[in-house]
Amino acid sequence: MSAITTPNQFDVPAKGNEPHGHNYLNHSKGILSWMFTLDHKRIGLMYMALVLFAFFLGGTFAMLLRTELIAEGPTLLADKTQAWNLYNHMFSLHGAVMVFLFIIPAVPAILGNFILPMQLGAKDVAFPRLNLLSLYVYAAGAAFFLYVLLSGVINAWTGYTMPGGFGLDTGWTFYTPYSSSKSMSSVIPATGGAFILGFSSILTGVNFIASIHTLRPKGMGWFDMPLFLWGLYATSIIQILATPVLAITLMLLIAERAMGIGIFDPALGGDPVLYQHFFWFYSHPAVYIMILPAMGVISEIISTFSRRHIFGYTFIAYSSIAIALLGFLVWGHHMFTSGQSALTNVAFSLITFSVAIPSAIKVFNWVTTMYKGSIRLETPMLYGIGFIWMFSIGGLTGIFLAALSVDIHMHDTYFVVAHFHYVMVGSMLFAFIGGMNYWFPKMFGKMYNERVAAFAAILLFIGFNLTFFIQFVAGSHGMPRRYANYPVQFVSHHYWSTIGAYIMGLSLVIVLFNWVAALLNGKKAPANPWGSNTLEWQSASPPPHDNFPTTPVVTDPYDLDRWRYVSDDEGWVLTDEAKAAIAAGTARTGQLH
Amino acid sequence: MSSISTNLGDPNDGHGHGHGGHAHSHNPFLAHHFDTPEQQFTTGKLGMWVFLGTELLMFGGLFCAYAVYRHNHPEVFMYAHTYLDKWWGAVNTVVLLVSSFTMAWGVRAAQLGQKGLLCVLLVLTLLGGAGFMVIKGIEYKAKWEHHLFPGRLNVYNKDYAGPEKPGEAHDTHGAAGVSHGAAAAQGHDHAHDTGVAGKPVVEHANLATGAEAAPRSEGAETAPQAPKPGEHAEVAAMAKPVDGPKIPVSFFDPNSLGAASDAAKIVPKSGGPAGLAASEAAHGHAAHMAYGDLPARDKVRVNTFFSIYFMMTGLHGVHVVVGMGLIAWILIKGATGIFGPSYYTPVDLVGLYWHLVDLIWIFLFPLLYLIH
Ligand SMILES: [Cu+2]
């Protein structure tokens, strides 16, 4: 650790790319150097390729779902039964792929993998081999999963049966006893795929927890960590505590289906509600696996683009942990109509309300951070503001649903669909794309076209709200979810919702196109294009193989005054005072709380 | 700037940069992203503890299912657990405990660099694991022979498709108002069948309780399953000396006990209801429950106990096998003599894992075998 005060630490390269252009991307060449790499940055990029592919698939099927619903009656196929069957397979695919293959791994596995060690000033995660293993476990699980799900859609659409694949028509929740005893689709391979994917998630969680505990550099206490790391830490806690329960649940489900062991099927003496308890004991906390790292991203973005120190650091940090822990006590709110006792319902309802407290703490702190800040509406910030807006709607409608009497009316309607899409898409997806734009220059050393990116962000915001806000209305009027058809009074709701979905699809294509264009001929990115003070910006863009030439000096991660803007080409550089402080060994100005 | 350039210019050099300097160049086991061996050791250990936490939660799901079913259907557990052989369970507990001890000692030996001792202890630990699995295999085999495997292979499952036709058996029994007496009588037949086949009699007699045999009674009425009178006498004679003295009444299913001690009285009445009822009354074992005594809603749930038993012990068995693989791996590494005071992390971590496997069994044994 002697390197900490190495005087030339502040020689952060002004330009992103080194004179000889040596970085982790060209560190070694050939496909094998990627496939067997232990470099967390390359693993993060490989995750990115896989996860974005899954997102593309899940999104495509979202478009097809909405197309089926654009008008009353069968749309994609002429025959009613076939059209409804196709719809069932498509929404199972959309839900299962989005949840297990995209939302859960997106922020931790892509951004977390890439950024976590760098924010720690470390060379890698704690267990690089485990990290690579988790990637391959993910790929294997995804292959299973996709084969099964696609086989169902293909069969429903064209009549062609892929060998061994009969699709999945249970939705992503695999409720028993339909899944264990009735469904004619390939439940075992699908749940087997989810089981395998769970291990990938567990391995990532173990890795991140160990990294954050033991790889923090000298001078970085728990409360000197960037809030993104707090978000990832809270996420990892959930991943290691909840995912094993899903694993055993799916194992029991597989055994039930294969052998009829009678744990969940009432006809065999089992208890179907026990399945729901087990499933939601994982899947409710899983919602926080999705949102907590996203909240971490937003904390970084809001502070950076408001040019203000984050407000209420300690509160945001603790609220992440509070959400993670409270999240384990609320699963019963998915079973208000499943025959739980009234007392249980009341308890789960009250605890569910209480999750609003740490969530609101975060929102208030973000808004207060922006207050009197010098806000720059660059693309990541647009996503950040969009996040606050939509997370507020998603969170507040969650309170509606936590209220018992309201939930009895709203249960299994489009109101629920709209609520969780506001949290999962409006919030998590916005944070993910915002985070991708925020760290894109660091990852690839290229700048994307700011105007196109901002246009796509605004279009996505409009498309999203058009798609889902009207679903609150449809749901509160009684439109049930998961139905392929609807009565005539919902025609216009569904029509506009579908138009909104197309706008979303278009804007996401623009986002992707913009990234690809930036990769091909984007401007070179400076080391620190945004003037952030977390450690990853103190390395080159893209970073060298070992992340940092010398271990960087740790300071308050939100002390943005240490940087001054030079030019678009050179980005932000350390002020002379900051350099002097490093040289004098007094750089640690962190006063967070 | 110069340091950056040199670094980046030479990727190999890059690895060493930013470290304290001396430690890693001397220690071939220190990965490039750690500063000191201590940091690496702490990290590994923390990771293992976190992983063990996930293992506990995975088993936690099964423990939870166990708790729910035992709470809701205590009679099922009281009744069905008598099929398990408490003695084999106890022996296995001891075997695992001893292997945990040799493992812990092995960690110490690795720490002190005692290569020979380490190898001996690891071999002993491996033998313990193997012994456990063999005993488990013996128990499973008995369950298999008695149609107690989980799911549709279990005679109590309503979808059971074997020759015993249990669903019908249950129905007939209920409809005819025949209580456990008939079942118990069949229990003898069953014990005899297996006894004849030359299997360990203790195991089988123990398993041949009334409930297990209840479904078989249906089979017994059909030609292939009906025991021959001659066999009965012969087997009863064989079974008697083993069952009687060696197996204490407390753990023994009353029906089987009846089979052994009252064999002469019962055999001629094979399939009849009176024999066992009489013998049960004679023995006065209030603690035990017979299939016929189960509430109707629980009769269909006896198979659930076996499902939970097999899921729990099966998952545990998988962990034992994985642990044995890991021990074999560090045995091979240890034989080269690489472990010593400065590097013994793998032994330590595998040891932790092995203790967890042991610990889980310590919970499984009383929960499954020692129900009162
Ligand atoms: Cu929930």
Side-chain angles (χ1 to χ4, degrees), chain A residues 116 119-120 205-237 240 300 310 312-321 534 554-558 588 590-593, chain B residues 42 46 50:
Chain A
L116 175 137
Q119 288 198 334
L120 289 172
V206 170
N207 223 333
F208 284 4
I209 287 185
S211 303
I212 289 174
H213 271 270
T214 62
L215 294 184
R216 272 179 291 117
K218 212 180 202 172
M220 188 188 278
W222 280 90
F223 291 92
D224 304 317
M225 291 197 308
L227 288 162
F228 182 53
L229 295 185
W230 274 103
L232 287 175
Y233 186 73
T235 307
S236 304
I237 290 179
I240 62 156
E300 305 296 325
I310 192 86
Y313 173 94
T314 330
F315 278 90
I316 298 182
Y318 275 127
S319 64
S320 292
I321 304 297
T534 43
V554 176
T555 59
D556 177 344
Y558 300 104
R588 201 187 173 296
Q591 287 301 324
L592 289 168
H593 41 279
Chain B
T42 319
L46 176 74
V50 172

Side-chain angles (χ1 to χ4, degrees), chain B residues 291-307:
Chain B
Y291 185 66
D293 292 342
L294 289 174
R297 62 175 196 136
D298 285 343
K299 283 189 174 157
V300 296
R301 289 194 163 90
V302 174
N303 72 87
T304 305
F305 175 83
F306 294 101
S307 302

Side-chain angles (χ1 to χ4, degrees), chain A residues 13-45:
Chain A
K15 288 264 194 172
N17 293 323
E18 283 304 296
H20 16 309
H22 192 91
N23 59 55
Y24 80 101
L25 292 168
N26 57 22
H27 174 71
S28 48
K29 294 210 182 340
I31 184 89
L32 290 182
S33 79
W34 281 82
M35 288 184 63
F36 295 105
T37 184
L38 298 179
D39 183 351
H40 66 99
K41 300 182 289 299
R42 286 186 166 199
I43 292 174
L45 291 199

Side-chain angles (χ1 to χ4, degrees), chain B residues 16-179:
Chain B
H17 222 83
H19 282 306
H22 60 282
H24 69 286
S25 48
H26 295 298
N27 189 340
F29 305 113
L30 184 65
H32 83 115
H33 57 296
F34 292 114
D35 291 321
T36 60
E38 292 73 38
Q39 187 191 23
Q40 181 171 356
F41 177 73
T42 319
T43 308
K45 199 138 180 172
L46 176 74
M48 195 64 193
W49 275 108
V50 172
F51 176 72
L52 295 186
T54 70
E55 291 279 18
L56 278 183
L57 275 142
M58 187 149 160
F59 277 96
L62 288 173
F63 281 114
C64 180
Y66 173 95
V68 166
Y69 281 102
R70 181 158 177 193
H71 175 264
N72 290 346
H73 310 283
E75 294 89 353
V76 166
F77 281 67
M78 283 299 291
Y79 169 70
H81 94 279
T82 55
Y83 285 90
L84 306 185
D85 189 327
K86 160 191 312 192
W87 294 108
W88 277 133
V91 169
N92 252 351
T93 309
V94 173
V95 167
L96 266 197
L97 277 173
V98 170
S99 78
S100 232
F101 170 72
T102 53
M103 186 72 232
W105 193 2
V107 173
R108 186 68 190 147
Q111 234 171 348
L112 298 176
Q114 297 160 324
K115 184 176 111 182
L117 181 62
L118 171 66
C119 291
V120 170
L121 289 165
L122 289 180
V123 168
L124 285 176
T125 312
L126 263 183
L127 285 178
F132 179 90
M133 290 310 289
V134 167
I135 293 175
K136 208 77 217 139
I138 293 173
E139 291 191 68
Y140 275 19
K141 187 160 181 288
K143 305 285 175 299
W144 171 257
E145 282 163 357
H146 292 81
H147 311 279
L148 292 174
F149 261 41
R152 288 182 275 274
L153 297 171
N154 191 296
V155 281
Y156 293 105
N157 191 300
K158 85 172 176 54
D159 294 338
Y160 177 68
E164 287 78 11
K165 297 196 173 45
E168 279 177 48
H170 293 183
D171 295 346
T172 4
H173 282 279
V178 179
S179 75

Side-chain angles (χ1 to χ4, degrees), chain B residues 237-249:
Chain B
M238 279 173 60
K240 221 174 190 174
V242 185
D243 292 353
K246 282 193 183 165
I247 299 167
V249 176

